[in-house]
Amino acid sequence: MVDFVFFLKNVLVVSLAMNLCLIWRLSHHNEENIAFSWGNLQQKLNNFNTAGKNNTRGEEVDVAQVSKRTIEVLKTTSSAATNDPDGGESNLVINLDHGDPTMYENYWKQKGEETTVVTSSWQHISYFSDVKNVCWFLEPGLVRAVTRLHKVVGNAVTEGRHIVVGTGSSQLYQAALYALSPPDSLGPMNVVSAAPFYSSYPLMTDYLKSGLHKWAGDAYEFNKNEPYIELVTSPNNPDGVTRQDVVKGNNGILVYDLAYYWPQYTPIILPADYDIMLFTVSKSTGHAGTRIGWALVKDREIAKKMTTFIEINTIGVSKDSQIRAAKILQTVSDSCENANQKEPESFFDYSYKFMDERWKKIREAVNKTELFSLPDFSHETCSFSGRTFGQLPAFAWLKCEGEVDDCESFLRRHKIYTRGGKHFGASKKYVRISMLSRDSEFEILIKRLPAIIIS
Amino acid sequence: MVDFVFFLKNVLVVSLAMNLCLIWRLSHHNEENIAFSWGNLQQKLNNFNTAGKNNTRGEEVDVAQVSKRTIEVLKTTSSAATNDPDGGESNLVINLDHGDPTMYENYWKQKGEETTVVTSSWQHISYFSDVKNVCWFLEPGLVRAVTRLHKVVGNAVTEGRHIVVGTGSSQLYQAALYALSPPDSLGPMNVVSAAPFYSSYPLMTDYLKSGLHKWAGDAYEFNKNEPYIELVTSPNNPDGVTRQDVVKGNNGILVYDLAYYWPQYTPIILPADYDIMLFTVSKSTGHAGTRIGWALVKDREIAKKMTTFIEINTIGVSKDSQIRAAKILQTVSDSCENANQKEPESFFDYSYKFMDERWKKIREAVNKTELFSLPDFSHETCSFSGRTFGQLPAFAWLKCEGEVDDCESFLRRHKIYTRGGKHFGASKKYVRISMLSRDSEFEILIKRLPAIIIS
């Protein structure tokens, strides 16, 4: 009998050891498989510290990039291996490097069938949506939804504009560069944006070593007497600041990236009224997976050339996603017009309160320590909501105060993955932290930040 | 009373005149608005007659391009204006230049609810689909559907392959060029394909004047001792021929475009087993509007680089379309496995019979005249259907026999818009005619072709 118990104990020990090995192996296997994801972008951006540099391809795995799946595996592993009172939370890696906008998911879960899209297999078969439109692959329903929402919110002029739809606003950015760069000029067109600038601009401009356009760096430092395209991102990614153009030369063409010019992120002051304006559902309603963006373009020829780019690049844009985006945008407009009547709160009420609460929490967390600081924003009155408030950006532009020179590496040692200032043409003392994650990650962030000490 | 009748008559005449004016104005307005559509592609291709030429941008309106909407307007106009016994059909312009695959619409209309996709507003919000996959934005459901369909049809090996999803196979073509062109070489990589080649290849290769790759023309004429990428399209667009690589150099990388390697177009002989193979739902099931293509890629690093291209270009691919495409492909697999049991005929039975009938009709029409000829194909037995037949291509590669040197212009004078041989690197005596149009246009084509005489 004792022998049998002894035998059983041995088997149990072997089995437990095997479990630990397997869990370890599993977590490393997953890490190896997924570490590259999304992060090639970041890895490549390491090559862009100097404006105009052309080495745009770095394919090595960036171990900084660990996704949610790894987090879950690590959590399982650490919970199993330790008796950590917080359930292993302190061992969790939280990845706030990218801006995956999952934070409005709960809002959409509350919505009923009026937001559901039903598509039969015979629908939307053709390449064409509306052959009378400059943008022939643009669904008429999306035109109506975009036009209505801008009117309801008052954040952009749509009268006298051509709408061009894109597979996200990234494609529209590239379409705008194509449309604005003369095909027959001697050298490529300069593309600039004021630092800190969106970290993907350099990569999207140069990844194909195009002879049409080239990244020329920080707009503040651009002093060539040459034609240029200036990207004006307002509110700005990464720092949330309201922007105007800065070069103010005679040969410039301005492209306004207004992805965040919505009333949950910033007070709406006036309807934007520029020649080329880019928007996306990813950040306005949180539907990144649909990959739908739109451009409002004053000049017909530029709208045509942007359409041509998308025609060559992807022969149009998914009809299914356009139709879904139209439904989502109409629902948002409905929620604004029905607020206080049929519906308890509009989408923008919900999302404003959501962002406001997150910003209060992160400011509280940062105020508890001397190590970090956040930008302050002056208050203005929003013409849409009537509220007076300062920016509530989709990203926190956090500064490491004192002696810490490389804020990204510093936070990484504390298992907070962020995108460092150098990727945005700025100091390494800054990092960009996504404010758009799910609650679980955000709560860990605000618990962990004030607990960090310099060791 | 007579005065009143006279008055009425006058009003009627004025009104009719006004009708005609308005109809004329409407048709011209429409023509002006839409004439460019899709056709910028063709217009630009005029710049590609010589391999390696770099003038890739021609934005002029190509009046050759008139879409269905114009056809309808013209029909209205001509019916109203004449007493033509065929209802004005002889005045109709039919545009068979592009391959809009609307011909299977009736099949899909017969299908019931099992092919309908229902999407709630909270679903597919994230950028990510499966972070464990090399292609992190690829929906697992699409992986299952693609793998199953290739197994059911037996047209491609999927074991040991990475699947990369694209916004149509155009994006995957560009992703493959990016992945296969070394970033640090002294000059751009040569890209070739045997003439007649797909007319969009030159444009997609050169439109951004990339320093990574350049169009180097007809593979039969490529004799440089330099690295190259050879596109092998089989069955070939435009002529339907089964293809192998032709350069057979030591420095070549092959990309197989297998968009038409499906049993309605060609006998399936063996599962294709190449390093890089491109497919698309546009031509396999006719769902061009979903913009979904996929690549089967043997080498993990190449799959990663293709994924990186799509990441930078459009940050992934519409989830909505991926999910819809998965449902459609599963329905096709179901229809094959249930044929003769629950379902009267499989999708490929339906589409084979459809293409077979169209080819019989166009051959009959062409045989009635000495002016034209069509290619002949040897018969082979299809491993999928067991049928023995010759190719039934998605395009007819029509030759003008005798003295007509410019077949495209000749047919245009007879109101049949096609794409001329020069766009495919071939003789102007050839044109490509879409076999994928709706019935109404196809019926006019086969009535009109044998009636044409040289005047």
Side-chain angles (χ1 to χ4, degrees):
Chain A
M1 182 66 190
V2 175
D3 272 355
F4 185 62
V5 171
F6 183 67
F7 171 73
L8 272 187
K9 272 186 183 168
N10 277 348
V11 171
L12 188 65
V13 167
V14 170
S15 164
L16 284 173
M18 200 179 265
N19 278 339
L20 284 175
C21 282
L22 286 172
I23 289 167
W24 180 87
R25 177 76 196 112
L26 185 66
S27 75
H28 278 249
H29 178 75
N30 274 310
E31 209 168 331
E32 179 200 308
N33 271 345
I34 66 189
F36 77 94
S37 82
W38 193 270
N40 275 351
L41 266 175
Q42 192 183 21
Q43 177 60 32
K44 290 204 186 58
L45 285 164
N46 289 327
N47 302 322
F48 279 101
N49 297 335
T50 314
K53 238 174 135 181
N54 235 344
N55 174 22
T56 64
R57 312 274 298 279
E59 302 297 339
E60 300 88 345
V61 169
D62 184 346
V63 287
Q65 306 303 316
V66 185
S67 67
K68 286 187 193 68
R69 180 62 64 107
T70 312
I71 292 169
E72 282 157 26
V73 174
L74 285 173
K75 186 170 181 176
T76 314
T77 317
S78 52
S79 301
T82 68
N83 273 329
D84 200 330
D86 66 356
E89 201 179 271
S90 60
N91 280 322
L92 280 186
V93 169
I94 50 170
N95 186 354
L96 301 167
D97 167 86
H98 53 262
D100 196 27
T102 46
M103 69 294 187
Y104 306 138
E105 205 174 55
N106 286 336
Y107 176 86
W108 294 110
K109 279 190 175 169
Q110 295 162 19
K111 300 300 285 185
E113 281 187 8
E114 81 269 22
T115 62
T116 299
V117 177
V118 178
T119 312
S120 299
S121 57
W122 60 269
Q123 294 182 297
H124 328 309
I125 277 186
S126 169
Y127 287 105
F128 298 96
S129 291
D130 179 5
V131 290
K132 287 180 297 176
N133 199 313
V134 165
C135 183
W136 53 265
F137 46 77
L138 169 59
E139 284 291 311
L142 186 58
V143 175
R144 290 192 292 273
V146 161
T147 308
R148 179 181 173 208
L149 185 60
H150 282 306
K151 203 170 176 185
V152 166
V153 174
N155 64 337
V157 170
T158 56
E159 288 80 16
R161 257 63 175 193
H162 301 279
I163 299 177
V164 179
V165 65
T167 310
S169 60
S170 299
Q171 191 180 34
L172 291 165
Y173 169 84
Q174 292 163 65
L177 295 194
Y178 175 82
L180 299 173
S181 302
D184 304 322
S185 67
L186 288 177
M189 182 76 143
N190 298 292
V191 181
V192 298
S193 188
F197 43 73
Y198 174 35
S199 51
S200 289
Y201 287 152
L203 186 57
M204 290 194 289
T205 309
D206 284 351
Y207 73 127
L208 291 172
K209 292 187 175 180
S210 174
L212 295 178
H213 43 68
K214 67 160 192 261
W215 180 248
D218 185 358
Y220 286 116
E221 294 179 10
F222 183 75
N223 52 18
K224 290 180 188 164
N225 191 21
E226 291 176 7
Y228 65 92
I229 296 167
E230 181 177 348
L231 274 303
V232 184
T233 312
S234 185
N236 191 38
N237 173 359
D239 64 1
V241 169
T242 299
R243 281 282 186 83
Q244 295 296 328
D245 57 311
V246 305
V247 180
K248 299 189 188 297
N250 296 324
N251 299 317
I253 309 174
L254 305 179
V255 176
Y256 282 80
D257 183 344
L258 303 180
Y260 303 97
Y261 193 49
W262 295 99
Q264 69 267 52
Y265 303 119
T266 183
I268 303 300
I269 306 301
L270 279 171
D273 186 13
Y274 305 109
D275 288 357
I276 304 173
M277 303 183 272
L278 309 183
F279 290 92
T280 165
V281 294
S282 300
K283 301 300 153 59
S284 53
T285 72
H287 291 82
T290 64
R291 313 301 316 115
I292 292 292
W294 65 93
L296 304 178
V297 183
K298 200 180 256 176
D299 185 271
R300 183 184 163 87
E301 288 307 307
I302 291 171
K304 275 172 68 172
K305 286 180 189 167
M306 289 178 70
T307 300
T308 298
F309 174 90
I310 296 171
E311 191 176 300
I312 305 170
N313 192 208
T314 54
I315 319 186
V317 174
S318 160
K319 309 281 178 243
D320 311 305
S321 281
Q322 288 189 62
I323 282 155
R324 186 170 183 221
K327 189 116 180 180
I328 300 281
L329 296 182
Q330 291 285 15
T331 306
V332 170
S333 289
D334 288 345
S335 81
C336 296
E337 293 187 340
N338 296 334
N340 305 321
Q341 296 165 26
K342 289 186 220 163
E343 304 200 35
E345 60 183 355
S346 77
F347 170 75
F348 292 118
D349 273 334
Y350 174 92
S351 50
Y352 165 82
K353 287 174 193 164
F354 185 92
M355 293 304 296
D356 187 47
E357 198 186 318
R358 284 210 167 172
W359 271 94
K360 278 190 183 124
K361 284 183 178 176
I362 197 170
R363 286 193 188 280
E364 267 173 35
V366 165
N367 285 342
K368 286 181 193 159
T369 163
E370 302 281 296
L371 280 179
F372 308 113
S373 68
L374 286 168
D376 285 316
F377 301 104
S378 58
H379 286 216
E380 294 193 84
T381 301
C382 176
S383 60
F384 169 75
S385 66
R387 290 191 183 96
T388 299
F389 64 103
Q391 321 281 69
L392 303 166
F395 298 99
W397 186 235
L398 188 86
K399 187 180 179 188
C400 274
E401 297 289 348
E403 289 166 16
V404 177
D405 286 329
D406 182 348
C407 197
E408 182 184 342
S409 303
F410 178 71
L411 288 174
R412 185 173 297 173
R413 286 199 292 278
H414 294 89
K415 299 191 174 61
I416 302 170
Y417 290 176
T418 63
R419 197 171 294 179
K422 64 180 178 179
H423 302 298
F424 305 91
S427 159
K428 288 166 83 175
K429 284 187 80 71
Y430 289 88
V431 293
R432 190 193 78 166
I433 300 180
S434 171
M435 295 288 284
L436 309 180
S437 66
R438 290 199 173 86
D439 284 340
S440 54
E441 286 158 283
F442 184 76
E443 292 301 326
I444 294 172
L445 173 73
I446 54 164
K447 213 184 278 185
R448 195 173 293 173
L449 275 181
I452 291 175
I453 49 166
I454 296 182
S455 52
Chain B
M1 184 64 191
V2 176
D3 272 354
F4 185 62
V5 171
F6 183 67
F7 172 70
L8 270 188
K9 272 187 182 166
N10 277 348
V11 170
L12 189 64
V13 167
V14 170
S15 168
L16 283 173
M18 201 178 266
N19 283 343
L20 285 174
C21 281
L22 286 172
I23 288 167
W24 180 86
R25 176 77 196 112
L26 185 65
S27 76
H28 278 250
H29 178 74
N30 274 311
E31 210 168 331
E32 179 200 308
N33 272 343
I34 67 189
F36 77 95
S37 82
W38 194 270
N40 275 351
L41 267 175
Q42 192 183 21
Q43 177 60 33
K44 289 202 186 62
L45 285 164
N46 289 327
N47 302 321
F48 279 103
N49 297 334
T50 313
K53 238 175 136 181
N54 235 344
N55 174 21
T56 64
R57 312 273 297 278
E59 303 296 339
E60 300 87 344
V61 169
D62 184 347
V63 287
Q65 306 304 315
V66 185
S67 66
K68 286 186 193 67
R69 181 62 64 109
T70 312
I71 292 168
E72 283 157 25
V73 173
L74 285 173
K75 186 170 182 175
T76 315
T77 318
S78 52
S79 302
T82 68
N83 273 329
D84 201 328
D86 65 358
E89 204 179 88
S90 60
N91 280 322
L92 280 186
V93 169
I94 50 170
N95 186 355
L96 302 168
D97 167 86
H98 53 262
D100 197 26
T102 46
M103 70 292 188
Y104 306 138
E105 205 175 55
N106 286 337
Y107 175 85
W108 293 111
K109 279 190 176 169
Q110 295 162 18
K111 300 300 285 184
E113 281 187 8
E114 81 269 22
T115 62
T116 299
V117 177
V118 179
T119 312
S120 299
S121 58
W122 60 269
Q123 293 182 298
H124 327 309
I125 278 186
S126 169
Y127 286 105
F128 298 97
S129 292
D130 178 5
V131 290
K132 288 180 298 177
N133 199 312
V134 165
C135 183
W136 53 265
F137 46 78
L138 168 60
E139 284 291 311
L142 186 58
V143 175
R144 289 191 293 273
V146 161
T147 308
R148 179 182 172 208
L149 185 60
H150 282 306
K151 203 170 175 184
V152 166
V153 174
N155 64 338
V157 170
T158 57
E159 288 80 15
R161 257 63 175 192
H162 301 279
I163 299 176
V164 180
V165 65
T167 310
S169 60
S170 299
Q171 191 180 35
L172 291 165
Y173 168 84
Q174 293 163 65
L177 295 193
Y178 175 82
L180 299 173
S181 302
D184 304 322
S185 67
L186 288 176
M189 182 76 142
N190 298 292
V191 181
V192 299
S193 188
F197 44 73
Y198 174 35
S199 52
S200 289
Y201 288 151
L203 186 57
M204 291 194 288
T205 309
D206 284 351
Y207 73 127
L208 292 172
K209 292 187 175 180
S210 174
L212 295 179
H213 43 68
K214 67 160 193 261
W215 180 247
D218 185 358
Y220 286 116
E221 294 179 11
F222 183 75
N223 52 17
K224 290 181 190 164
N225 190 21
E226 291 176 7
Y228 65 91
I229 297 167
E230 181 176 348
L231 274 303
V232 184
T233 312
S234 184
N236 192 38
N237 174 359
D239 64 1
V241 170
T242 299
R243 281 281 185 84
Q244 296 296 328
D245 57 311
V246 305
V247 180
K248 299 190 188 296
N250 296 324
N251 299 317
I253 309 174
L254 304 179
V255 176
Y256 282 80
D257 184 343
L258 303 180
Y260 303 97
Y261 192 49
W262 295 99
Q264 69 267 52
Y265 302 119
T266 184
I268 302 300
I269 307 300
L270 280 172
D273 186 13
Y274 305 110
D275 288 357
I276 305 173
M277 303 183 272
L278 309 183
F279 290 92
T280 165
V281 295
S282 300
K283 301 299 152 61
S284 53
T285 72
H287 290 83
T290 64
R291 312 302 315 115
I292 292 293
W294 65 93
L296 304 178
V297 183
K298 201 180 256 176
D299 185 272
R300 183 184 163 87
E301 289 308 306
I302 291 171
K304 276 172 68 172
K305 286 180 189 166
M306 289 178 71
T307 300
T308 298
F309 174 89
I310 296 171
E311 192 175 299
I312 304 170
N313 192 208
T314 54
I315 320 187
V317 174
S318 160
K319 310 282 177 242
D320 311 306
S321 281
Q322 288 189 61
I323 282 156
R324 185 170 183 221
K327 189 116 180 181
I328 300 281
L329 296 183
Q330 291 285 15
T331 306
V332 171
S333 289
D334 288 345
S335 81
C336 296
E337 293 187 340
N338 296 334
N340 305 320
Q341 296 165 26
K342 288 185 219 163
E343 304 199 37
E345 60 183 355
S346 76
F347 170 75
F348 292 117
D349 273 333
Y350 173 93
S351 50
Y352 165 82
K353 288 175 192 164
F354 185 92
M355 292 304 297
D356 187 48
E357 198 186 319
R358 283 210 167 172
W359 270 94
K360 279 191 182 123
K361 284 183 177 175
I362 197 171
R363 286 194 188 279
E364 268 173 34
V366 165
N367 285 342
K368 285 181 194 158
T369 163
E370 302 281 298
L371 279 179
F372 309 113
S373 68
L374 285 168
D376 285 316
F377 301 104
S378 58
H379 286 217
E380 294 193 84
T381 301
C382 177
S383 60
F384 169 75
S385 66
R387 289 190 183 96
T388 299
F389 64 103
Q391 321 281 70
L392 303 166
F395 298 99
W397 187 236
L398 188 86
K399 187 180 179 188
C400 273
E401 298 289 348
E403 289 166 16
V404 177
D405 286 328
D406 182 348
C407 197
E408 181 184 342
S409 303
F410 177 71
L411 288 174
R412 186 174 297 172
R413 285 199 294 277
H414 294 89
K415 298 191 174 62
I416 302 171
Y417 290 176
T418 63
R419 197 171 293 179
K422 64 181 177 178
H423 302 298
F424 305 90
S427 159
K428 288 166 83 174
K429 284 187 80 71
Y430 289 88
V431 293
R432 191 193 76 167
I433 300 181
S434 171
M435 295 289 284
L436 309 180
S437 66
R438 290 199 173 86
D439 284 340
S440 54
E441 286 158 283
F442 184 76
E443 293 301 326
I444 294 173
L445 172 74
I446 55 164
K447 212 184 281 184
R448 195 173 293 173
L449 275 181
I452 291 175
I453 48 165
I454 296 182
S455 52

